[in-house]
Amino acid sequence: MKAILVVNARSSSLKFQLFETEPGSRVKRLLKGQLDGIGVRPRLRATNADGAIAMDRMYSPEEVGDLPAAIQVTADWLRGTGNVDLAAIGHRVVHGGPEYSEPILVSPEALDRLARYIPLAPLHQPNNLAPIRTIHELRPELPQVACFDTAFHRGHGPLADHFAIPEELYAEGVRRYGFHGLSYEYIADRLPQVAPELAQGRVIVAHLGSGASMCALAGGRSVESTLGFTALDGLPMGTRPGQIDPGVVLYLLTEKGMDAGAVQRFLYNECGLKGLSGLSNDMRELEASTEPRAAFAIEFFAYRIALNAGMLAAALGGVDGFVFTAGIGENSAMIRARVTARLAWLGAKLAPDANARGETLISSPESQIAIYVLPTDEELMIARHTLAVIGPAAFA
Ligand code: AMP
């Protein structure tokens, strides 16, 4: 059986999913898994499409000390599972820079070009590229496709993708790129099946997970995003602050004696819901807490989503629909209710029972905007892209 492996690599974990290629350029999920705790407490877990456990094993830090070792262990296990014949590997790559607006077949030259964007995403890009290099060394004949989180936003106009800084910096790549593009692209693909008329209109999509952003879709195309140059802007996230006055960064540098590395670690790991609550970056824990700081962090999150919705509504010249997606958006009826209440000025009105049950359509019939909950599927999007890029080779 020909299959496509989808890889999403971070510094301490490797997430993967396996898809079978089917006639008609379709893909079917076979299994999903992850190897986390790389170098500390490595554990490989995987479940089949029906949710049954396919693998659960701990390794020593010596066996899986880094990302290349994690790839090797995962690949060995996949090979051992039997009749999987890999046609290609699709990778999530956070940054395609100004150059890439579509997924690409990765060549060694393209890999070098993508490495130039490491300064634009220092925490993610090196980890995204490492598995591509390792696999290329092990299996140079195996096609690898890079799918970019920035690509779906590359059609943004100059008003949306500029900062008010001298043009030389824009020319060298200091731009508002936007991220979570694979998630938004999936939603833009899904919407015509769920709400064909709305899919033609003006829609705000809120991707609310441990990373969070919002995107303005006009007729299914991204026209504006709350994220910019790095994944730090816009909404507060699990451990990142979202929009922050750059003066705060200057204050940390000059008054608190922090160097650039310390500021980076602080902004990526210590802020957002975690910093604000002093308790947790996990929305489930905050919702379960009786601490006033947890309640404040939740209210702040909802408030910032509503503020940013106002900005995106202005970009779109009005709003016809709103979509919640990702971990919090798909699962937290409470956050959806709070956000929707703050969007009453846009004519948003919730159907509380439908919201509590997590139905697809959660707005009441009187609502002036349609409100949906749509589960996202970035890995499926990567598998589809990979299949489209390699074409008939997927079945040869
Ligand atoms: P993601 O990054 O998309 O996997 O989303 C992770 C976030 O979703 C975490 O903050 C989780 O706490 C949150 N989440 C997942 N399930 C729930 C739930 N049932 N209620 C509230 N938040 C949830």
Side-chain angles (χ1 to χ4, degrees), residues 242-274:
Q243 186 196 10
I244 191 166
D245 182 337
V248 175
V249 175
L250 296 175
Y251 179 84
L252 296 176
L253 290 168
T254 58
E255 301 301 318
K256 305 301 278 184
M258 292 165 81
D259 63 14
V263 171
Q264 177 165 297
R265 283 190 294 280
F266 175 77
L267 293 175
Y268 277 94
N269 303 320
E270 301 301 330
C271 299
L273 298 175
K274 180 182 171 188

Side-chain angles (χ1 to χ4, degrees), residues 209-211 281-284 287 326-328 331-332:
S210 42
N281 61 335
D282 190 311
M283 186 55 84
R284 277 168 297 204
E287 287 191 9
I328 300 170
N331 296 299
S332 175

Side-chain angles (χ1 to χ4, degrees), residues 34-46 55-64 73 77:
Q34 67 184 71
L35 204 168
D36 48 27
I38 296 172
V40 191
R41 278 173 58 82
R43 181 176 181 185
L44 175 60
R45 280 176 291 180
M55 170 65 161
D56 190 351
R57 185 183 152 186
M58 304 287 303
Y59 294 83
S60 70
E62 293 73 38
E63 283 173 295
V64 189
V73 163
W77 172 67

Side-chain angles (χ1 to χ4, degrees), residues 5 37 177-178 359 384:
L5 182 67
Y177 291 96
E359 288 179 8
R384 286 185 187 153

Side-chain angles (χ1 to χ4, degrees), residues 10 124 180 207-213 227 231-243 264-286 293-294 296-298 300-302 304-305 326-329 335:
R10 308 207 168 185
H124 294 97
H180 296 133
H207 174 108
L208 309 177
S210 42
S213 73
L227 277 173
L232 284 173
D233 206 355
L235 301 180
M237 309 183 207
T239 58
R240 291 169 260 166
Q243 186 196 10
Q264 177 165 297
R265 283 190 294 280
F266 175 77
L267 293 175
Y268 277 94
N269 303 320
E270 301 301 330
C271 299
L273 298 175
K274 180 182 171 188
L276 210 46
S277 69
L279 293 168
S280 171
N281 61 335
D282 190 311
M283 186 55 84
R284 277 168 297 204
E285 287 179 25
L286 296 179
R293 297 304 298 171
F296 180 73
I298 291 171
F300 185 86
F301 188 58
R304 300 302 302 193
I305 294 166
I328 300 170
I335 289 291

